[in-house]
Amino acid sequence: MLRVLAVDDEEPALEELLYLLRADPRIRSAEGATGATEALRRIGGAVEVGPDDPSAIDVVFLDIHMAGLTGLDVAQLLAGFAAPPLIVFVTAHEGFAVHAFDLKAVDYVLKPVRRERLAEAVRRVAEQVGDRSAPVLDTASDQIPVELGGVTRFIPIDDITYAEAQGDYARLHTATGSHLVRVPLTTLEERWRTRGFVRIHRRHLVALGRIDELRLDAGSMSVRVGTAELAVSRRHARALRDLLMRRTGR
């Protein structure tokens, strides 16, 4: 859930942006500032109290043309912070996009703001915030932390048979159940490659040693992992077959 500060010196535009942001279920809170000075004061206070404080700010939706300091000026100042919030520029002008992305903006939304386009910007922000706050997975560690009823438990990685993508999360399957973690499947793929996990589909990452059967049916491929049958995409089929053949010495 994202904590947002929207900044625009035109109050009708600010109110419309806040209305759209507050209607998005991924937004925990959305507050407004009517100028760069007010925005910098509020952002500075949020950074000072830390990310766990209720007044913390995850992302700033920032107009470019404002009286006094521009949105680009604000972004340049924020770049000097140790842990600045993310930035999405919201502007009526196309010509500043290159400069905006040089300043590491997550997105660049043109006015008049469309609900669908704003939702895409929120999705990109949520993805980056999720990556920031995801548990740090040490490849040398034998366990991964999962939340169960408010209690953190540690699941041995060797117990995981496969992982399934669920948006910005991954569901880890074991012989006894499953656990949802706030880690993208692509991150697990990179960090568990040396542990024998292989990508077989955009949705699935499988422990090679847990594959019980490889099945071919009318040109399609699947694997059985315990009681689960998982499709293998054409993109990954040859690499998986080669890995299995090498593993069995054939």
Side-chain angles (χ1 to χ4, degrees):
M1 297 290 286
L2 300 172
R3 298 158 295 187
V4 174
L5 177 66
V7 187
D8 197 315
D9 62 351
E10 296 181 359
E11 290 197 22
L14 178 60
E15 290 302 318
E16 174 66 13
L17 179 57
L18 288 171
Y19 172 79
L20 293 173
L21 287 167
R22 289 166 180 163
D24 192 305
R26 294 164 295 187
I27 304 295
R28 178 192 300 179
S29 62
E31 304 299 329
T34 56
T37 302
E38 180 187 355
L40 287 168
R41 177 181 58 78
R42 295 177 68 170
I43 295 167
V47 170
E48 186 175 338
V49 297
D52 296 326
D53 192 88
S55 64
I57 297 169
D58 296 307
V59 57
V60 181
F61 283 77
L62 185 60
D63 188 24
I64 288 183
H65 276 290
M66 296 186 291
L69 293 175
T70 69
L72 296 172
D73 294 330
V74 172
Q76 288 177 323
L77 290 169
L78 292 182
F81 285 39
L86 300 174
I87 293 174
V88 172
F89 284 106
V90 183
T91 178
H93 304 276
E94 298 183 16
F96 298 98
V98 173
H99 192 181
F101 287 113
D102 284 344
L103 292 169
K104 311 301 183 186
V106 176
D107 209 342
Y108 191 91
V109 179
L110 290 174
K111 297 179 180 179
V113 178
R114 294 182 295 109
R115 186 186 299 270
E116 299 80 8
R117 182 63 184 86
L118 187 64
E120 172 61 16
V122 172
R123 185 198 66 78
R124 293 179 182 181
V125 170
E127 186 175 82
Q128 290 206 23
V129 170
D131 288 344
R132 282 180 169 187
S133 58
V136 177
L137 305 179
D138 184 352
T139 55
S141 174
D142 293 326
Q143 298 176 314
I144 180 172
V146 300
E147 295 292 328
L148 293 173
V151 177
T152 300
R153 297 185 182 177
F154 295 88
I155 304 300
I157 293 173
D158 288 344
D159 287 353
I160 298 167
T161 57
Y162 70 97
E164 179 181 9
Q166 293 192 352
D168 295 329
Y169 292 68
R171 182 167 293 279
L172 310 179
H173 293 264
T174 69
T176 57
S178 67
H179 312 278
L180 194 65
V181 294
R182 191 163 62 179
V183 184
L185 197 67
T186 51
T187 300
L188 294 179
E189 179 184 10
E190 293 171 4
R191 295 178 176 175
W192 288 357
R193 185 174 289 118
T194 58
R195 293 182 172 274
F197 282 81
V198 294
R199 192 71 170 260
I200 64 166
H201 191 275
R202 63 183 177 82
R203 291 194 59 200
H204 292 120
L205 182 69
V206 174
L208 195 65
R210 297 302 190 108
I211 295 176
D212 298 310
E213 290 180 359
L214 177 67
R215 300 176 178 179
L216 293 171
D217 182 19
S220 64
M221 181 183 291
S222 63
V223 294
R224 183 173 64 80
V225 181
T227 59
E229 184 170 352
L230 308 174
V232 180
S233 69
R234 291 175 182 265
R235 175 185 174 189
H236 297 95
R238 172 172 285 186
L240 176 64
R241 187 165 49 192
D242 290 347
L243 283 170
L244 288 171
M245 293 303 176
R246 287 202 299 268
R247 182 168 169 264
T248 57
R250 295 182 183 178

